[in-house]
Amino acid sequence: MDCSELIILDVGHGNCSVVKHGTQAIIIDAPGKPIVARVLDELGITSIHALLISHADSDHLSGAIPILLNTDRPVS
């Protein structure tokens, strides 16, 4: 059975969560730190099903553009 996992990232100030299902993920908040991309690589994530931003503070939003522009890991 293929199950989902919830990963809460320690990104310092701000929040970021990843819901992993197979090689897809949903990202909740995207701080502007490279830790998100590194963790997605470590988890074997090849595509992002959704990117959810809880509010417009930079510590939740600043990493969204690099995620959206990454053609190696498309957001569907």
Side-chain angles (χ1 to χ4, degrees):
M1 177 198 298
D2 196 15
C3 62
S4 296
E5 297 176 65
L6 173 63
I7 299 101
I8 308 295
L9 303 181
D10 180 5
V11 295
H13 186 71
N15 298 301
C16 181
S17 303
V18 176
V19 179
K20 178 184 183 291
H21 187 80
T23 60
Q24 288 194 333
I26 296 170
I27 300 173
I28 305 165
D29 289 330
K33 297 181 180 186
I35 187 172
V36 178
R38 188 184 84 231
V39 168
L40 294 176
D41 288 343
E42 291 172 2
L43 293 171
I45 301 300
T46 58
S47 66
I48 308 300
H49 182 71
L51 173 59
L52 308 170
I53 305 300
S54 64
H55 60 283
D57 287 355
S58 66
D59 57 335
H60 295 261
L61 174 65
S62 60
I65 291 176
I67 290 171
L68 292 168
L69 293 177
N70 184 347
T71 57
D72 294 330
R73 191 177 5 249
V75 178
S76 54

